[in-house]
């Protein structure tokens, strides 16, 4: 039976129950928890250093009002990185390849930044819809364009993460299938293809981390515009 390359993105089920809930809770189980000891182990020390560096890098240009989002965005960053990395293991499922899940993260977070801007600085928030010095004839057109671009932001966030992960997984599966088929026919070409597959896997590890960082970075930029 020939399976479709897109079957890997289907939510697995067990006894008719979708296992996406288990895939969503697994990253939180793998993240180490703080201990009551005076000194942490190496893993906790590395995790604390990473979170401190990440929050410092993200929230340095943001005002103090936006620092309340530090724990939320840091948790989202750890969740996305863990989910993306776990999806590269064999016989696993990547929840972040589902557009519905990514939009469920992007839309509420984006909407929260917009609401915060309208509540704290409504004039400044609405001023983004019309650049300064715009000719009178272009004012209605620019307002419509900027409003459309504002509402496209969460869609772009979700589609960007989904498309990058889906393309990487499909390319890995295509090259792996090609290497498996070429092994009995042309062993040398199959070995070279396997080396290419290894390099592509390393690239996908970097893409999984970078896409999680880009997702949170764009949210922080939206937050910076509204606080």
């Amino acid at each position: 039976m020939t399976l479709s390359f897109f079957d890997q993105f289907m939510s697995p089920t067990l006894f008719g129950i979708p296992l996406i809930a288990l895939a969503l809770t697994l990253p939180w189980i793998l993240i180490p928890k703080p201990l009551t000891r005076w000194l942490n182990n190496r893993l906790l020390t590395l995790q604390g250093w990473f979170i401190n560096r990440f929050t410092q890098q993200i929230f340095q240009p943001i005002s103090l009002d936006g620092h309340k989002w530090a724990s939320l965005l840091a948790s989202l960053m750890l969740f996305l990185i863990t989910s993306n990395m776990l999806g590269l293991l064999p016989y696993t499922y990547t929840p972040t390849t589902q557009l519905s899940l990514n939009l469920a993260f992007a839309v509420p977070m984006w909407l929260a930044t917009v609401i915060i801007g309208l509540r704290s600085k409504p004039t400044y928030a609405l001023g983004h819809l019309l650049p300064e010095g715009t000719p009178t004839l272009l004012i209605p057109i620019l307002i419509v364009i900027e409003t459309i671009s504002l509402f496209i932001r969460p869609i772009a966030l979700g589609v960007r993460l989904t498309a990058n992960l889906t393309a990487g997984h499909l390319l890995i599966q295509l090259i792996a299938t090609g290497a498996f088929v070429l092994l009995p026919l042309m062993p040398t070409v199959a070995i070279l293809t396997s080396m290419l597959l290894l390099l592509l896997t390393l690239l996908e590890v970097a893409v999984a981390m970078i896409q999680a960082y880009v997702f949170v970075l764009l949210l922080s930029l939206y937050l910076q515009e509204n606080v």
Side-chain angles (χ1 to χ4, degrees):
M1 182 177 65
T2 303
L3 298 178
S4 172
F5 285 124
F6 290 91
D7 287 344
Q8 60 176 319
F9 305 112
M10 296 176 60
S11 178
T13 58
L14 181 63
F15 303 114
I17 302 174
L19 297 182
I20 188 172
L22 179 61
L24 291 176
T25 56
L26 186 59
W28 304 118
I29 299 174
L30 296 177
I31 295 176
K33 307 298 188 299
L35 303 175
T36 56
R37 302 173 183 175
W38 286 10
L39 296 178
N40 294 325
N41 54 25
R42 292 182 178 87
L43 185 58
L44 279 173
T45 303
L46 180 62
Q47 177 181 300
W49 175 85
F50 170 76
I51 294 176
N52 289 333
R53 292 295 299 174
F54 166 73
T55 53
Q56 181 181 1
Q57 181 73 22
I58 290 293
F59 290 93
Q60 186 174 6
I62 301 179
S63 63
L64 293 178
D65 293 335
H67 290 186
K68 303 173 184 178
W69 288 57
S71 58
L72 179 61
L73 293 184
S75 302
L76 181 60
M77 176 75 172
L78 289 176
F79 173 79
L80 292 178
I81 286 182
T82 311
S83 299
N84 296 346
M85 298 285 286
L86 288 177
L88 296 175
L89 297 176
Y91 302 104
T92 55
Y93 171 67
T94 314
T96 46
T97 56
Q98 301 295 320
L99 182 60
S100 57
L101 177 67
N102 296 331
L103 289 179
F105 281 123
V107 173
M109 302 285 283
W110 163 83
L111 186 60
T113 59
V114 174
I115 293 175
I116 287 176
L118 292 176
R119 289 187 59 186
S120 59
K121 300 177 181 179
T123 305
Y124 183 77
L126 293 176
H128 290 293
L129 301 179
L130 185 62
E132 187 177 358
T134 304
T136 307
L137 295 177
L138 296 179
I139 288 178
I141 300 175
L142 280 181
I143 291 178
V144 173
I145 293 175
E146 291 296 330
T147 304
I148 294 174
S149 66
L150 179 65
F151 283 97
I152 286 178
R153 284 180 176 182
I155 301 175
L157 276 177
V159 171
R160 180 186 293 106
L161 182 58
T162 304
N164 281 280
L165 295 180
T166 303
H169 284 61
L170 282 176
L171 192 56
I172 287 177
Q173 187 171 359
L174 287 171
I175 295 178
T177 304
F180 182 76
V181 172
L182 290 174
L183 186 59
L185 302 176
M186 293 180 286
T188 305
V189 178
I191 293 174
L192 294 176
T193 307
S194 301
M195 295 175 61
L196 178 63
L197 179 62
L198 178 60
L199 295 177
L200 181 61
T201 304
L202 296 177
L203 177 63
E204 281 303 308
V205 172
V207 169
M209 301 178 66
I210 291 172
Q211 288 304 315
Y213 175 75
V214 169
F215 189 92
V216 179
L217 178 63
L218 290 176
L219 283 176
S220 68
L221 292 178
Y222 300 158
L223 178 64
Q224 182 180 354
E225 291 181 358
N226 293 281
V227 294

